[in-house]
Amino acid sequence: MPRPPRILHCTSEPLVFFGRQRELALLDSALSAKSPSLIALIGPGGQGKTAIVQHWLRQKRTPLDGLFFWSFYRAKDADLCLREWLAYAEDRDSLPDVSASWCVDRLLEMLRRERWAVVLDGAEVVQHETGPWRGRFLHPDLGRLLEELGSTPMPGVVVVTTRFELPTLATRSHTQLLSLDRLDEESARALLRSLGVQGPPEELDRLAAFAGYHAKAVELLGTYTMRFSGEGGQSIPLTPNPSPPGEKGSDYSPLPPTQKGSDYSPLPPTQKGSDYSPLPPTQKGSDYSPL
């Protein structure tokens, strides 16, 4: 019997969404073709990983037995996540008083039998950040669950978003790791126009290039442009930046401080409105000096 969706600790949804058709098509295919069983969207913050899955869940049409969304950004306890997940799966009113390993075994049985859409957002919060274990999951049972799900076909799909690589999942036969690229030019223009920024395509491309075609940066720059450049949405002044040609980052950089519409320029430490200047270590209010 289908369960009502269970959305826990969800982050805010994007104001607008454009592009990412390849990623959305892959998620749709995973639900209909039984492969891949696990999809990981990998990329730096602000590239739209969470926005993609939120948009996909709103648009999906495939009937599901369960929909479980958990954001580690708001709740980093992986053990609690597993018990909440099992409580939802078994239609319990309270969390089961069982081990994480037992939760994993029960969830594996159901997920291999039923059609689910599961999103684990912000997994970098529960991954090792540095060292030889970088990218591995801190909670061994959560890691085991994802490794086993990514190794066999299943009717539904589990989606993981993270900023870190996933070395233990990279070789699993039914796992697909997708590194998010920057917005394409058409999507970046559409995003700027949705915010009210007007102008010819080449001018919009200049703004998007200034933001590095980074989804969140393009959105912020468009909002800034509308707020501080008038209702016409004229672009802010941009000057050439000596970035290597061919890079999609940007050929433009902000004007230096002395050219931003004021006479302000940074003052050296001794001139910032006072006579203060840093003292050498032996004069900082004590007799201590380094040996």
Side-chain angles (χ1 to χ4, degrees), residues 3-9 57 64-72 80-89 107 111 116-121 157-159:
R3 306 163 180 82
R6 189 72 169 273
I7 311 296
L8 297 172
H9 314 296
L57 290 175
L64 296 173
D65 295 304
L67 193 165
F68 183 79
F69 185 110
W70 181 280
S71 175
F72 289 109
L80 178 61
C81 171
L82 292 172
R83 293 197 293 141
E84 287 275 13
W85 190 351
L86 182 61
Y88 168 63
L107 288 170
L111 292 169
W116 282 58
V118 177
V119 176
L120 301 178
D121 187 37
V157 63
V158 173
V159 184

Side-chain angles (χ1 to χ4, degrees), residues 280-291:
T282 55
Q283 301 178 42
K284 286 187 174 178
S286 73
D287 294 328
Y288 167 80
S289 62
L291 296 177

Side-chain angles (χ1 to χ4, degrees), residues 92-278:
R92 293 171 177 255
D93 294 328
S94 59
L95 298 183
D97 186 16
V98 295
S99 68
S101 180
W102 198 88
C103 288
V104 167
D105 292 337
R106 290 287 295 133
L107 288 170
L108 284 171
E109 292 178 18
M110 283 182 277
L111 292 169
R112 288 169 175 165
R113 186 177 66 245
E114 302 176 354
R115 189 184 301 276
W116 282 58
V118 177
V119 176
L120 301 178
D121 187 37
E124 69 270 12
V125 175
V126 290
Q127 290 175 263
H128 287 277
E129 292 187 45
T130 59
W133 283 58
R134 176 181 165 84
R136 294 174 182 267
F137 287 96
L138 296 166
H139 195 296
D141 290 300
L142 176 61
R144 178 170 72 89
L145 173 62
L146 296 178
E147 289 166 24
E148 295 204 30
L149 289 174
S151 300
T152 57
M154 67 179 193
V157 63
V158 173
V159 184
V160 176
T161 74
T162 179
R163 301 181 187 187
F164 298 161
E165 59 271 23
L166 293 161
T168 61
L169 298 178
T171 58
R172 303 291 163 168
S173 57
H174 291 268
T175 295
Q176 185 160 346
L177 308 184
L178 196 61
S179 295
L180 290 192
D181 200 356
R182 290 163 287 192
L183 289 174
D184 59 84
E185 292 178 344
E186 183 178 351
S187 297
R189 290 181 208 136
L191 175 55
L192 288 168
R193 289 188 179 114
S194 74
L195 297 168
V197 182
Q198 304 299 321
E202 57 271 18
E203 183 67 13
L204 298 179
D205 289 345
R206 291 177 70 230
L207 280 174
F210 179 70
Y213 287 90
H214 183 280
K216 178 57 68 174
V218 171
E219 180 183 348
L220 292 173
L221 182 58
T223 302
Y224 175 90
T225 300
M226 288 303 300
R227 181 170 182 180
F228 295 102
S229 300
E231 295 182 357
Q234 299 300 313
S235 63
I236 60 176
L238 304 174
T239 56
N241 175 23
S243 299
E247 288 191 359
K248 203 173 184 179
S250 171
D251 292 329
Y252 304 91
S253 64
L255 296 175
T258 56
Q259 301 177 43
K260 286 186 175 176
S262 74
D263 295 327
Y264 168 80
S265 62
L267 297 176
T270 56
Q271 300 178 44
K272 286 188 174 177
S274 74
D275 294 328
Y276 167 80
S277 62

